[in-house]
Amino acid sequence: MKKWTVVIILGCAQFVMVLDGTVMNVSISTVVDDLDTTVAAMQAAITFYTLTMAAVMLLGAKLGDVWGRRRAFVIGSCIYALGSLTTALSPNVAVLFLGWSIIEGLGAVLVIPAIAALVADNYQGKERITAYAVIGAVSGAAVAAGPLIGGFVTTYFSWRYVFVAEVVIMAGVVLCARLITDNTVRQSVRIDVLSVFLSALGLVFVVFGMLQSKTWGWIAPLQSPEIGGVAIEPLGISMTAWLMLAGGALIYAFVRRQLQLVGRGDAPLVHVEMFSISQLRSGLSVLGAQYAVTAGLFFMVPVYLQMTLGLDPLQTGLKIFPLSISLILFSIVGTGLSRIWAPLRIVRTGQVILVFSAAILLGSATAELRSGLFAAGMFLAGTALGLLASQLGNVNMSSVTEKETSEVGGLQGVFQNLGSSLGTALIGSILIGALSTSFASGVASSELPPDTKATISQQTQGGVSIVPAAAVADIALEAGLDSAEAATLTTIYRDSQLSSLRISFFGLIVISLLSLFFSRGIPTEVAGRQRTKAAQG
């Protein structure tokens, strides 16, 4: 038992890191009401929690090499605990954003790469494969347990207690950290500040542009940002397109900068030549796609369940329960299968099941969500995500030598959290954008009086917010509509929410299909029979 103490400590930290990505989703309506904010603001907070990690994860991995991985792990755990405490005490969404999206994210960028590297320091051979599989299974369990934990605690206590519990867990992790071996020699290197700036700003621009697409539009401007009352839409193009273009340019400049540093003998923030390793390239790409689907699913389903169907956080968690069970179960099954099946076979099986599950979820999207079909779709989605979670950590870490494990741990964190932030930003923006379009179309084709249509059009010119469907009638009455018109508007709004959910499910199908093209470099040999050297592509 003693030899597995380290992976238990690291697993506890990993559980908390991943838990935060899903635990708040089922509490969205409660937090919106508690902090007097909006679903769009919560979408931004959820997105920026993972985006903060993605943006500076490479710096966190490099600091681990400089400070020592165990020291970085402890410092990051302390920062994370401070962020959790700030979030627990937040009086408004701005403080919640600071504590959760920024401080916790900054703590996580030190912890997550260190976990991957410390596993390599403390385990060898088959034990290392098992340890990585355990960490992957813990991540899957955290994704699965988040809705249940968040739903139960929010319904019977307060969502704030989740973050209080995180403070306690991270304190225990810090106290036990001395049991972890850190044999890696610290590096004496200068961290290139320009590289940090280029990578962080590039990722922020891309994701923030995507996040704002629901308001600004993708290319043709909808509602442009304003400075001094003047709309900003350069050359008649939406700021979303400009931000994403600028972000892409900055990321390209980052890659060129890394090659330049290597060429003159300086230490880069990341060795981009590692992307020539087909196994690593495929593993990271599939990991990013997996987390994009997971984050998108865990954002849009709770929003519909709570805002349209009026379920409370616990009921929402229970509705998602089939996914939770199968994700945990098939993380374990996938670990067992790795002894007889090649990683590619397991990953491809998971990807195909993921496409099939998204199609079933699309078919279940009726007004009340067909219970049996929806449960089957969620169970299959969990099956797919569990199989993927059981494989990708070891696929990535076994693609390089031991001295590169910290760097790959950082890259894993980047792709995992970039995938999550893109999934929440993209699917969330599709959901909100489709709601506005569908609602406007529904109002235009309804039998409401022309003057009423004009009033609604004027008041929703800046887009339609996600609000509880049950509250639409009161909002309509306050705006001067009569009871019949308010009832008609409520029906249109419910139908629009359902339509936007279907479009979002279709978006998940597209992402799942695309991920199939990323998996070509996954190993085709059973893990125990693979060569230890990196598979060069």
Side-chain angles (χ1 to χ4, degrees):
M1 179 64 188
K2 186 178 180 180
K3 70 177 181 180
W4 296 113
T5 301
V6 171
V7 83
I8 291 172
I9 297 168
L10 297 176
C12 286
Q14 181 78 7
F15 185 86
V16 170
M17 301 290 111
V18 178
L19 181 74
D20 259 7
T22 59
V23 73
M24 285 287 275
N25 296 59
V26 296
S27 308
I28 286 175
S29 61
T30 304
V31 179
V32 165
D33 185 56
D34 203 15
L35 301 182
D36 191 24
T37 185
T38 64
V39 171
M42 286 303 299
Q43 181 199 9
I46 293 168
T47 299
F48 269 84
Y49 169 66
T50 49
L51 178 56
T52 298
M53 289 189 277
V56 287
M57 188 68 71
L58 295 176
L59 173 62
K62 188 62 68 176
L63 288 173
D65 290 337
V66 174
W67 294 345
R69 291 159 180 179
R70 186 171 61 184
R71 178 178 291 183
F73 178 76
V74 170
I75 293 173
S77 297
C78 292
I79 295 172
Y80 196 93
L82 175 62
S84 295
L85 183 61
T86 303
T87 305
L89 301 175
S90 55
N92 53 53
V93 73
V95 176
L96 179 138
F97 190 92
L98 173 65
W100 186 32
S101 305
I102 306 299
I103 299 177
E104 282 192 34
L106 291 175
V109 302
L110 293 171
V111 174
I112 291 174
I115 290 173
L118 288 170
V119 167
D121 276 345
N122 286 267
Y123 299 99
Q124 302 293 328
K126 290 184 177 180
E127 287 185 355
R128 181 182 294 175
I129 294 172
T130 302
Y132 279 128
V134 168
I135 294 296
V138 166
S139 296
V143 170
L148 294 175
I149 294 172
F152 177 81
V153 174
T154 301
T155 300
Y156 291 106
F157 304 99
S158 168
W159 57 270
R160 299 175 187 273
Y161 286 110
V162 174
F163 294 95
V164 173
E166 288 182 356
V167 175
V168 175
I169 293 172
M170 295 312 290
V173 165
V174 170
L175 291 174
C176 295
R178 61 185 178 80
L179 300 174
I180 301 172
T181 300
D182 182 5
N183 293 323
T184 306
V185 177
R186 297 179 191 176
Q187 299 178 14
S188 179
V189 296
R190 185 180 68 86
I191 294 175
D192 185 57
V193 176
L194 180 58
S195 295
V196 175
F197 173 80
L198 289 172
S199 63
L201 199 59
L203 292 177
V204 169
F205 275 16
V206 169
V207 176
F208 184 67
M210 193 175 290
L211 179 67
Q212 290 299 109
S213 63
K214 62 183 180 292
T215 303
W216 296 346
W218 286 97
I219 298 177
L222 295 179
Q223 181 185 355
S224 300
E226 295 183 355
I227 296 179
V230 179
I232 308 300
E233 43 188 63
L235 302 178
I237 301 297
S238 167
M239 277 301 295
T240 288
W242 288 113
L243 277 176
M244 294 182 70
L245 185 64
L250 287 169
I251 292 170
Y252 175 76
F254 166 75
V255 172
R256 298 295 303 173
R257 175 67 175 175
Q258 304 316 292
L259 295 173
Q260 183 184 66
L261 290 170
V262 170
R264 68 189 194 199
D266 292 332
L269 192 60
V270 64
H271 287 85
V272 293
E273 59 270 22
M274 285 197 300
F275 285 100
S276 65
I277 304 172
S278 60
Q279 178 176 326
L280 178 62
R281 191 169 60 244
S282 290
L284 291 174
S285 299
V286 175
L287 183 72
Q290 172 203 348
Y291 274 87
V293 171
T294 303
L297 192 62
F298 274 84
F299 179 76
M300 68 185 192
V301 169
V303 166
Y304 185 82
L305 292 175
Q306 293 180 38
M307 294 298 188
T308 304
L309 302 186
L311 303 188
D312 64 30
L314 181 57
Q315 291 170 323
T316 302
L318 290 173
K319 196 81 172 176
I320 298 172
F321 187 67
L323 184 149
S324 304
I325 286 294
S326 61
L327 204 159
I328 295 171
L329 176 62
F330 281 89
S331 292
I332 300 169
V333 169
T335 302
L337 282 175
S338 63
R339 298 189 184 96
I340 55 173
W341 282 12
L344 179 62
R345 184 177 182 183
I346 299 173
V347 167
R348 282 273 170 88
T349 300
Q351 290 177 311
V352 170
I353 293 173
L354 191 57
V355 174
F356 188 51
S357 69
I360 290 177
L361 288 170
L362 176 59
S364 75
T366 59
E368 296 298 323
L369 286 183
R370 295 175 185 169
S371 294
L373 203 56
F374 179 76
M378 294 297 279
F379 185 88
L380 286 175
T383 299
L385 296 172
L387 290 174
L388 293 172
S390 71
Q391 300 302 305
L392 296 177
N394 189 58
V395 165
N396 292 326
M397 301 307 294
S398 64
S399 68
V400 296
T401 60
E402 287 190 24
K403 69 177 184 178
E404 297 165 314
T405 54
S406 180
E407 205 163 347
V408 172
L411 285 172
Q412 275 202 147
V414 171
F415 275 77
Q416 175 181 316
N417 289 289
L418 181 60
S420 293
S421 55
L422 287 173
T424 305
L426 178 60
I427 297 299
S429 295
I430 289 173
L431 184 74
I432 296 173
L435 174 64
S436 297
T437 302
S438 181
F439 183 74
S441 176
V443 169
S445 61
S446 70
E447 296 182 358
L448 291 169
D451 58 333
T452 301
K453 291 181 181 180
T455 299
I456 295 170
S457 177
Q458 183 179 8
Q459 295 195 5
T460 58
Q461 207 166 23
V464 177
S465 299
I466 295 181
V467 297
V472 172
D474 291 337
I475 294 172
L477 291 172
E478 289 176 8
L481 277 64
D482 61 35
S483 57
E485 292 170 342
T488 299
L489 203 63
T490 298
T491 300
I492 293 172
Y493 188 77
R494 285 184 181 275
D495 291 343
S496 299
Q497 285 184 318
L498 180 58
S499 175
S500 65
L501 180 70
R502 286 174 176 154
I503 293 170
S504 299
F505 276 138
F506 182 75
L508 291 185
I509 293 175
V510 172
I511 296 172
S512 302
L513 283 170
L514 287 174
S515 74
L516 279 165
F517 293 99
F518 301 148
S519 59
R520 288 177 295 180
I522 302 292
T524 56
E525 297 178 11
V526 176
R529 302 173 199 159
Q530 292 176 32
R531 297 175 183 173
T532 55
K533 68 178 184 178
Q536 299 291 331

